[in-house]
Amino acid sequence: MSTPYVRRFDSFDRVLHGFLMLSFLGLAATGLPLIFSDQPWARRMTGILGSFEVAGWLHRVCATMLITVFAVHLSRLGRRLIFQRDFGLLWGPRSMVPQPRDLTDAVGHVKWFLGLGARPRFDRYTYWEKFDYWAVFWGMGIIGASGLLLWFPVFFANVVPGWFFNIALLVHGEEALLAVGFIFTMHFFNGHLRPEKFPMDRVIFTGRVSLEELEEERPSEYARLKASGGLAALQVPPPERWLVRLGTVIGTTAVSIGLLLVGFILYAVLT
Amino acid sequence: MRIKHWLAFFSVLFVATLTFVAAKGPTNIPMKAPPAPSRPAVVKAPPEPANDDCLACHGDPDAKSDTGRRIGVDPAKFTESVHGALDLKCVDCHADLKKTTDFPHPSKLAKVNCAGCHQEKVAEYDRSIHAAARRQSAGSVAATCVDCHGTHDIRQKTDPKSLTYPLNLPATCGRCHGDPDVIKQGHIQIGNVSDLYKDSIHGKAVSKSGLMVAANCTSCHGSHDIRKKSDPDSRVFRRNIPNVCGSCHEGIKAQYDNGVHGIANGRGNDKAPVCADCHTAHQIQRADVASWRLDTIRECGTCHADKITTYRDTFHGQVTSLGFVRVAACSDCHGAHDIHGKADPRSTVAPGNIVSTCRKCHPTAGENFAKYDPHADKHDKARNPVLFYAAGFMKWLLLGVFGVFGLHAVLWLPRGFRERRGQAKHS
């Protein structure tokens, strides 16, 4: 008996997330050695790549990739907003925009942690997923902008005074540390490593979630789709075995690299 | 034999006459005319043993004494030596055998006293660390004349076969200073300095390029009066080092003397760096060697601790810390030998020169670009106010986010376990 599945992420967003992962890991691996340049592991990592020039080149290649991902995402949002008049993006249960409900959900969730109440009935995007999204969104803006400033300092010095680069380097590094630290611990925990999901949630690779899981985890969305009759339109066959396996391989690799880098950071910070 | 005897007698007489005749004119012999050769012409009896008398026993290079000690002298080597060329007699040096007529002579002879002729050089030697070490302990292995110059085969230092010929000298000193036993016995702190020197730019210039002008041991340490580096009269005493290096590197010395470090050193400030602090003494490298350039940054940081901290916070400092030198190190902005204070208009980092200094690496940099602070300090509110507040904001942002979500995860974890157990029971 096959379980019925529903689509959660379309293939475009999944591929985009794939590029996001690839470029983010690349940026982290080539950028962290600079922040922790006094660490032996930083020297070894740069040594493996050949030289800091190679690392810098890869960093810029990944940066270009990530900026492209960001631009494509923004243009997709723009298209949905302007051409498809999909204003549900801006407010409501299908929106990423933080809403009062997220605050009550968060409080309710913590109460549930402590056994003081029932689990909140989440909709399509939970408050921690929204935080993930906006953290990355903000990070891309700040890290991207400061990174471009540092990439072309002589050009930007026509517009901003030289001490801006001092700020840019500090912000670029600290913000990167925040992004890397957050994604490789909190995002991994919330999305994959917490007991309910362990070892991982493959939804970002398959794009599909079983109806049962949807009803359990996002009862509000389930109820909403059921009431509007949209559930039938989203029904898809279960993910192919190869796709699940591919997701396992990619996910395990990414989580391993991420946790290794977190280990390096912790070693550097604690010693 | 008798003919040879007479020949020797006449030749000695001839040299003696020449010496007397030429006494007022310039002599091409660089040392004092040996007093001994004139004597046979004056003193009549008893005749001194001639070289051939000695060589009768000692002429076989493999000759050994009763006790098995090597006593052979290679007559050819002696003839080629500087003393051989001067027709010195064996007994001129082995003077206690002068009046011996009864051969074989007693095996225990007095030590040869080089001061008989080389009074000045021996006086210099007496002030050296080698002589001091010998005075201090009887069993000392510290070098005496023969250790560096040889014995019967002594040649002038201009002779390529000489032990003291510039290209041979490092190996000569290395016979002791590269020998672990001597280093141990002599408590030589620096250890195997011979190996260090061999790999240095000076050592390679001598051994690989055969450069006569390259610094060898004596160029810096002197020869006969080598002194401890802690001795203010030593050529390698800290304050004297720039003069020693400057004897070859005159142009650099002129720059150094003009810079803040040279001036401070001239005033007797022992904290001022001298050549060897950055370049080392025996391991001097080409100035474009990466490892040396990186070491020099650390060296600057030993005094300028606050500056190296802020430098390490910048991209320049991060990249050099990773071990790459394509970015600016201290000397790229501040200069090397002729560093001046920022307020000095000659300084490369003076307001009037800063743009051209930045342009060395960033060719199209302008005034605005040069407002970058290569030593920005995020803790210094007065110097970098915006950076100070940006750093504070980032710190609290990181602490806040990780604090809140860390706690969130810690609370979620046990609940998650319970949930999972529940799921398992349910299914």
Side-chain angles (χ1 to χ4, degrees):
Chain A
M1 184 196 96
S2 67
T3 348
Y5 274 77
V6 286
R7 177 163 304 289
R8 177 156 167 78
F9 299 122
D10 67 13
S11 53
F12 201 102
D13 276 340
R14 278 145 54 204
V15 170
L16 212 55
H17 187 265
F19 281 113
L20 175 81
M21 285 168 68
L22 184 66
S23 56
F24 188 82
L25 285 170
L27 284 164
T30 51
L32 283 173
L34 269 188
I35 303 182
F36 298 104
S37 57
D38 57 336
Q39 292 286 316
W41 59 259
R43 277 172 211 154
R44 210 156 299 153
M45 271 173 76
T46 320
I48 289 168
L49 294 174
S51 71
F52 97 93
E53 282 104 332
V54 177
W57 182 81
L58 286 173
H59 197 78
R60 286 164 176 84
V61 168
C62 291
T64 310
M65 192 191 288
L66 188 53
I67 291 170
T68 310
V69 166
F70 193 40
V72 168
H73 175 66
L74 287 181
S75 69
R76 273 199 111 200
L77 292 182
R79 210 184 47 163
R80 276 172 68 185
L81 216 55
I82 296 162
F83 296 108
Q84 299 171 356
R85 312 233 139 229
D86 184 1
F87 297 118
L89 275 185
L90 297 178
W91 199 259
R94 290 186 302 111
S95 170
M96 271 290 182
V97 177
Q99 293 158 44
R101 182 186 173 159
D102 293 311
L103 202 63
T104 52
D105 277 357
V107 173
H109 206 206
V110 173
K111 277 188 179 161
W112 174 71
F113 293 162
L114 301 169
L116 300 173
R119 191 160 185 265
R121 293 171 60 79
F122 293 114
D123 208 293
R124 182 166 173 78
Y125 300 116
T126 64
Y127 67 91
W128 71 84
E129 286 162 344
K130 287 184 183 181
F131 191 90
D132 268 15
Y133 176 84
W134 287 109
V136 173
F137 200 99
W138 144 278
M140 294 222 222
I142 299 290
I143 305 177
S146 56
L148 280 172
L149 218 64
L150 295 166
W151 189 349
F152 306 104
V154 178
F155 171 75
F156 283 108
N158 293 318
V159 193
V160 297
W163 56 261
F164 242 73
F165 304 118
N166 292 120
I167 317 292
L169 185 71
L170 172 102
V171 169
H172 192 78
E174 296 280 308
E175 190 64 48
L177 217 49
L178 176 63
V180 166
F182 191 82
I183 295 297
F184 294 163
T185 59
M186 296 311 155
H187 175 68
F188 282 0
F189 176 81
N190 295 342
H192 306 284
L193 301 175
R194 64 186 160 94
E196 304 101 299
K197 294 281 184 191
F198 191 85
M200 70 174 68
D201 187 348
R202 269 158 290 224
V203 64
I204 197 62
F205 305 112
T206 65
R208 284 163 259 192
V209 59
S210 74
L211 202 57
E212 196 186 337
E213 199 179 329
L214 182 73
E215 191 185 356
E216 164 76 21
E217 287 195 2
R218 304 175 198 278
S220 178
E221 185 184 17
Y222 178 80
R224 186 166 50 75
L225 287 173
K226 208 172 183 184
S228 69
L231 208 51
L234 286 174
Q235 287 237 0
V236 282
E240 297 78 5
R241 280 179 74 87
W242 67 267
L243 189 60
V244 177
R245 280 201 189 137
L246 183 70
T248 310
V249 171
I250 296 178
T252 310
T253 310
V255 171
S256 308
I257 296 174
L259 290 181
L260 182 72
L261 292 176
V262 167
F264 284 161
I265 296 174
L266 285 178
Y267 176 80
V269 172
L270 299 177
T271 54
Chain B
M1 211 52 169
R2 284 194 77 88
I3 301 169
K4 267 191 183 173
H5 248 118
W6 281 109
L7 270 176
F9 177 76
F10 279 122
S11 59
V12 168
L13 200 66
F14 180 61
V15 170
T17 320
L18 261 186
T19 314
F20 278 116
V21 171
K24 279 175 189 168
T27 172
N28 59 350
I29 301 168
M31 53 189 70
K32 281 202 290 181
S38 63
R39 234 174 262 169
V42 186
V43 182
K44 278 178 187 168
E48 290 176 3
N51 286 5
D52 283 336
D53 295 333
C54 304
L55 290 174
C57 293
H58 294 281
D60 173 11
D62 294 325
K64 292 203 170 127
S65 72
D66 297 345
T67 54
R69 205 161 60 89
R70 293 176 64 98
I71 55 164
V73 175
D74 188 337
K77 276 195 179 162
F78 177 70
T79 315
E80 280 176 30
S81 80
V82 65
H83 292 147
L86 289 169
D87 281 325
L88 291 203
K89 293 173 72 178
C90 305
V91 294
D92 290 334
C93 294
H94 300 287
D96 49 340
L97 292 177
K98 253 183 194 162
K99 289 177 184 155
T100 308
T101 49
D102 198 16
F103 291 102
H105 57 81
S107 65
K108 188 78 186 159
L109 292 186
K111 264 214 152 36
V112 170
N113 179 15
C114 301
C117 296
H118 305 283
Q119 206 176 345
E120 219 174 283
K121 297 296 174 197
V122 173
E124 279 178 23
Y125 170 80
D126 282 337
R127 295 192 291 268
S128 78
I129 185 169
H130 289 138
R134 285 209 162 251
R135 278 195 297 272
Q136 232 166 48
S137 82
S140 169
V141 287
T144 62
C145 313
V146 295
D147 291 308
C148 302
H149 292 282
T151 50
H152 300 106
D153 54 348
I154 296 174
R155 289 162 183 263
Q156 279 195 288
K157 67 175 179 187
T158 49
D159 182 333
K161 286 184 179 166
S162 168
L163 284 168
T164 53
Y165 182 65
L167 300 186
N168 301 335
L169 191 87
T172 303
C173 298
R175 295 199 302 195
C176 288
H177 289 275
D179 179 343
D181 291 335
V182 176
I183 292 165
K184 202 175 161 199
Q185 284 181 54
H187 304 292
I188 300 169
Q189 276 175 12
I190 193 162
N192 192 333
V193 77
S194 186
D195 276 357
L196 298 181
Y197 171 81
K198 265 185 221 161
D199 291 334
S200 76
I201 191 167
H202 290 142
K204 282 181 186 159
V206 166
S207 64
K208 296 234 162 69
S209 315
L211 265 180
M212 290 288 281
V213 293
N216 60 42
C217 317
T218 58
S219 316
C220 300
H221 293 279
S223 49
H224 298 106
D225 57 345
I226 296 176
R227 289 159 185 260
K228 260 189 144 140
K229 67 175 180 186
S230 55
D231 179 343
D233 288 330
S234 167
R235 289 163 59 84
V236 295
F237 179 65
R238 195 178 169 76
R239 223 168 287 166
N240 303 335
I241 285 177
N243 290 327
V244 169
C245 300
S247 62
C248 291
H249 301 275
E250 222 170 280
I252 300 293
K253 165 90 170 25
Q255 291 179 9
Y256 174 79
D257 283 345
N258 262 324
V260 282
H261 293 142
I263 292 169
N265 181 57
R267 285 192 192 131
N269 180 346
D270 284 338
K271 282 186 178 162
V274 294
C275 318
D277 288 318
C278 295
H279 294 279
T280 76
H282 298 107
Q283 296 162 282
I284 299 175
Q285 304 272 314
R286 280 182 63 98
D288 55 6
V289 170
S291 59
W292 176 76
R293 284 176 56 97
L294 297 172
D295 279 347
T296 308
I297 296 172
R298 214 170 305 134
E299 183 63 34
C300 297
T302 54
C303 284
H304 302 281
D306 56 328
K307 293 299 171 210
I308 195 158
T309 311
T310 51
Y311 169 72
R312 288 284 176 229
D313 280 344
T314 68
F315 182 71
H316 296 145
Q318 290 170 342
V319 172
T320 54
S321 174
L322 280 178
F324 301 92
V325 289
R326 260 216 46 202
V327 297
C330 316
S331 62
D332 291 307
C333 302
H334 295 279
H337 303 110
D338 51 352
I339 298 172
H340 303 291
K342 197 178 172 181
D344 187 326
R346 292 173 301 173
S347 167
T348 49
V349 295
N353 302 328
I354 189 74
V355 175
S356 60
T357 299
C358 294
R359 279 186 180 161
K360 280 165 65 185
C361 296
H362 307 273
T364 50
E367 287 271 328
N368 220 12
F369 181 88
K371 285 180 190 149
Y372 173 71
D373 185 347
H375 288 282
D377 184 356
K378 62 184 177 192
H379 305 296
D380 188 341
K381 197 165 144 185
R383 178 174 173 147
N384 309 102
V386 183
L387 189 68
F388 175 84
Y389 287 111
F393 173 76
M394 289 312 302
K395 187 178 129 190
W396 286 109
L397 181 67
L398 263 78
L399 284 175
V401 169
F402 286 117
V404 168
F405 275 90
L407 186 66
H408 187 260
V410 166
L411 293 176
W412 197 345
L413 195 62
R415 184 81 223 184
F417 279 122
R418 251 175 287 159
E419 201 69 6
R420 189 165 181 138
R421 272 200 301 275
Q423 273 172 12
K425 240 180 258 169
H426 195 67
S427 57

